[in-house]
Amino acid sequence: MSSGIRFESVSVAYGKNVVLDSLDLTVEPGEVMALLGPSGSGKTTALRAVAGFVKPASGRVFIGERDVTALPPYRRGIGMVVQQYALFPHLRVEDNVAFGLKAQKVDKAEIPARVAEALEMTGMASYAKRYPRELSGGQQQRVAIARALAIRPNVLLLDEPLSALDAQLRSGMLAELARLHRELPDVSILYVTHDQVEALTLADRIAVMDKARLQDCGTPQELYRRPRTEFTASFVGNANLLPVQVGAAGVRFDGVELSVDTQGAAEGASATLCVRPHLVGLGEGPNALRGTISEVQWRGSTHRLYVEVGEGRHRVKADVRELRETPVLGEDVVLHFAAEDAVLLGAGVSGG
């Protein structure tokens, strides 16, 4: 069976509560698609619909060219890794990895080689004889991934697989997952997360979910650099969202004329200007905004400045290189940004 996943107007409801609303989405063969969104957005429900753990109220789910909407999970040819590992504590690592193969009635003579292959792929070959309790959280998650890969799935489902790990382990596992994807170029991966860093790091494309619906979909670069909606701008990365009025040669923000691209926007319309904090500079420059520092956060290589502008009605964030002297609260400063670093949202325009 070929890889790839397709949702055709898939809806899931519990009574009158719609938890996934008319999802149309295609994951191409060999693609990593991240489902990104806050809790309750519908992303895990979408993954569970692919796995066969929830039944759509309407619509169809395809894996490759096969309609699997009515098939039980064990007949879908998928591997799945969840947040809490779900390893059997009484089984050694090698037996945990072999479990799915035995369930699929793979020839007994073939199982040891398949287990060894999966453990080697995840860097856990030397831990085959250990029990889960003898492993760290990161090692247990590698075993869970090895178990999913041992059945050689066409589709791999990852449901918040790193959220139980600390920051350092999460970073290492992200690198491992990226390496695995390079080694398994034909496997389609659907990756559910609420962590934007994971999505930006690993995914070929990101589907942004909110309130049970698909809000946006594109490459990480597209969604970060040219978001189409305010929700995408605020959820994929951090953003300054400034209310503006479209003028003949730019926009007006709280009495200040700003030079930005307004192509496609109607003059006089209300819109939102999106500028990423790391693209906001400190000091005089184009599109200058004057204000007062209300908060300073030191972040190692940068300072995050919060500046009240427009007589305190708006708060602008600026990430500037670590300063030799920490700015003083209440200090008057000037921020600026380049026209090409701003994206106009709303007013009939699109950031994509």
Side-chain angles (χ1 to χ4, degrees):
M1 184 177 68
S2 62
S3 63
I5 305 166
R6 189 166 83 254
F7 298 86
E8 284 191 358
S9 300
V10 175
S11 294
V12 176
Y14 300 116
K16 294 183 178 180
N17 183 27
V18 177
V19 293
L20 187 65
D21 191 0
S22 302
L23 177 62
D24 287 299
L25 183 69
T26 298
V27 183
E28 300 293 344
E31 181 178 38
V32 179
M33 174 73 79
L35 294 181
L36 178 67
S39 297
S41 61
K43 58 188 188 298
T44 294
T45 300
L47 179 139
R48 290 172 63 82
V50 178
F53 299 148
V54 298
K55 183 178 180 180
S58 61
R60 298 189 299 170
V61 178
F62 291 82
I63 295 179
E65 297 302 317
R66 185 166 64 150
D67 185 342
V68 299
T69 311
L71 289 182
Y74 67 89
R75 291 186 56 196
R76 297 193 179 200
I78 59 171
M80 187 168 180
V81 180
V82 297
Q83 178 180 340
Q84 296 298 336
Y85 323 140
L87 300 179
F88 298 108
H90 63 289
L91 297 181
R92 296 180 189 273
V93 164
E94 59 187 1
D95 296 319
N96 266 283
V97 175
F99 182 84
L101 296 170
K102 293 176 180 178
Q104 289 190 343
K105 295 182 170 50
V106 172
D107 188 287
K108 288 184 178 180
E110 188 180 344
I111 290 177
R114 295 271 289 272
V115 169
E117 177 188 48
L119 289 174
E120 185 68 32
M121 194 174 293
T122 54
M124 292 298 292
S126 60
Y127 297 86
K129 300 296 182 182
R130 295 195 185 185
Y131 288 96
R133 64 178 179 273
E134 299 173 310
L135 305 177
S136 69
Q139 289 169 336
Q140 289 182 47
Q141 193 61 301
R142 288 177 187 228
V143 175
I145 293 170
R147 182 174 60 189
L149 295 177
I151 64 172
R152 295 176 181 169
N154 294 292
V155 167
L156 181 61
L157 307 179
L158 302 174
D159 188 7
E160 303 274 11
L162 309 184
S163 60
L165 306 180
D166 61 40
Q168 186 172 358
L169 278 175
R170 190 179 301 123
S171 177
M173 282 301 300
L174 271 176
E176 288 299 315
L177 288 172
R179 179 186 60 79
L180 279 172
H181 180 228
R182 292 192 297 270
E183 293 183 9
L184 302 167
D186 297 327
V187 176
S188 299
I189 299 177
L190 191 61
Y191 188 102
V192 165
T193 182
H194 65 273
D195 188 303
Q196 57 181 275
V197 174
E198 291 179 18
L200 291 169
T201 301
L202 191 63
D204 297 310
R205 285 191 299 150
I206 299 172
V208 182
M209 306 284 295
D210 187 42
K211 298 177 181 175
R213 296 186 67 89
L214 177 66
Q215 301 293 327
D216 211 340
C217 187
T219 68
Q221 293 83 359
E222 288 169 348
L223 298 185
Y224 187 82
R225 294 173 182 167
R226 313 296 295 181
R228 299 177 181 90
T229 67
E230 289 187 33
F231 182 81
T232 299
S234 61
F235 204 83
V236 181
N238 210 294
N240 291 300
L241 298 173
L242 310 178
V244 297
Q245 293 291 124
V246 178
V251 297
R252 188 173 183 82
F253 167 67
D254 210 53
V256 179
E257 297 291 339
L258 302 174
S259 176
V260 299
D261 182 10
T262 59
Q263 183 177 358
E267 185 175 347
S270 297
T272 299
L273 195 66
C274 169
V275 187
R276 299 293 184 184
H278 74 280
L279 298 174
V280 178
L282 181 63
E284 294 288 350
N287 293 322
L289 297 172
R290 301 181 186 279
T292 303
I293 294 178
S294 62
E295 186 179 347
V296 178
Q297 296 176 354
W298 180 65
R299 300 189 171 192
S301 61
T302 63
H303 276 98
R304 163 70 61 86
L305 307 182
Y306 292 85
V307 179
E308 303 289 345
V309 300
E311 299 180 355
R313 288 190 294 269
H314 305 285
R315 203 181 199 203
V316 176
K317 302 181 288 282
D319 290 337
V320 298
R321 283 188 176 184
E322 185 181 11
L323 303 169
R324 292 185 182 278
E325 295 184 7
T326 302
V328 179
L329 297 185
E331 180 181 346
D332 292 334
V333 295
V334 180
L335 304 176
H336 68 272
F337 60 89
E340 58 269 24
D341 291 334
V343 179
L344 194 63
L345 306 175
V349 301
S350 171

